[in-house]
Amino acid sequence: MTREEKSQVIEELTTQLADNTHIYLTDISGLNAKNTSELRRACFKAGIKMSVVKNTLLEKAMAASVKDFGELPKILIGNTSVMYSETGNAPAKVIKAFRKKSDKPLLKGAFIEEAIYIGDEQLDVLVDIKSREELIGDIVGLLQSPAKNVISALKSSGGKLAGILKTLSEKEG
């Protein structure tokens, strides 16, 4: 690889790092061609872009980035694959599901909206991170709950004015 080609790869990696807020670093070494293909297919179905990178080039791209990757450059040893995702927990879920039949991929580290996670033992923590859509759903559910309780109580009071007033006064107290 020429110096110009390396510079171009670093520039592309720097752009990808800048454009993504959910970045996973994994080790897929030892996977045979069939398992690698299955992993790539699972990533594609989950909307995850996965690529194998040279550690030195990724380290230079991280250094050139405006983001603070903390300790992540220090874990760039051995085989490294990068997973980019719109959803913070999607790569963790794919990794966990894939590991039911294989001991790889291993999680080396992750950058999730400026938070740094180091080590494979963080996988369960990352699986439990809620996506933006899940958080919005939880908030909407919490906001709807009191209204549903009042409507239910009003319906159970028989719809008579005295019962409605009684229900409303109980809810205020």
Side-chain angles (χ1 to χ4, degrees):
M1 183 177 276
T2 67
R3 187 173 291 194
E4 291 167 1
E5 290 172 328
K6 287 179 182 179
S7 294
Q8 185 178 355
V9 170
I10 292 168
E11 189 176 313
E12 289 171 8
L13 283 170
T14 303
T15 300
Q16 288 178 330
L17 293 174
D19 292 347
N20 290 280
T21 56
H22 308 109
I23 303 162
Y24 282 66
L25 304 177
T26 63
D27 176 3
I28 64 169
S29 64
L31 287 181
N32 62 28
K34 179 183 178 236
N35 287 344
T36 301
S37 180
E38 288 175 6
L39 177 61
R40 287 186 180 278
R41 193 173 306 115
C43 286
F44 179 77
K45 286 181 182 177
I48 301 164
K49 183 180 177 195
M50 184 178 98
S51 61
V52 177
V53 297
K54 287 190 87 164
N55 291 329
T56 55
L57 301 180
L58 181 57
E59 187 174 359
K60 289 178 182 179
M62 286 179 165
S65 174
V66 296
K67 294 179 180 175
D68 180 10
F69 289 100
E71 300 294 312
L72 287 179
K74 293 180 181 176
I75 63 169
L76 296 176
I77 299 167
N79 183 301
T80 302
S81 295
V82 183
M83 294 180 174
Y84 304 101
S85 174
E86 295 280 322
T87 308
N89 63 0
K93 287 180 178 181
V94 167
I95 292 168
K96 188 162 182 153
F98 200 81
R99 294 230 319 241
K100 290 180 180 173
K101 60 183 175 183
S102 175
D103 60 341
K104 298 277 176 119
L106 293 176
L107 176 69
K108 291 173 127 183
F111 178 89
I112 309 296
E113 301 202 21
E114 299 182 16
I116 308 289
Y117 299 85
I118 304 281
D120 194 59
E121 63 277 357
Q122 299 293 320
L123 187 60
D124 288 331
V125 171
L126 291 166
V127 166
D128 292 339
I129 290 177
K130 292 195 177 207
S131 69
R132 178 174 286 129
E133 291 76 20
E134 291 169 325
L135 286 173
I136 290 170
D138 287 351
I139 291 168
V140 168
L142 289 170
L143 293 172
Q144 287 178 342
S145 182
K148 286 180 181 177
N149 290 342
V150 170
I151 291 169
S152 173
L154 290 174
K155 285 181 179 177
S156 70
S157 68
K160 296 184 179 165
L161 187 58
I164 292 171
L165 290 173
K166 179 181 177 203
T167 300
L168 288 174
S169 67
E170 288 173 0
K171 292 291 178 192
E172 286 180 8

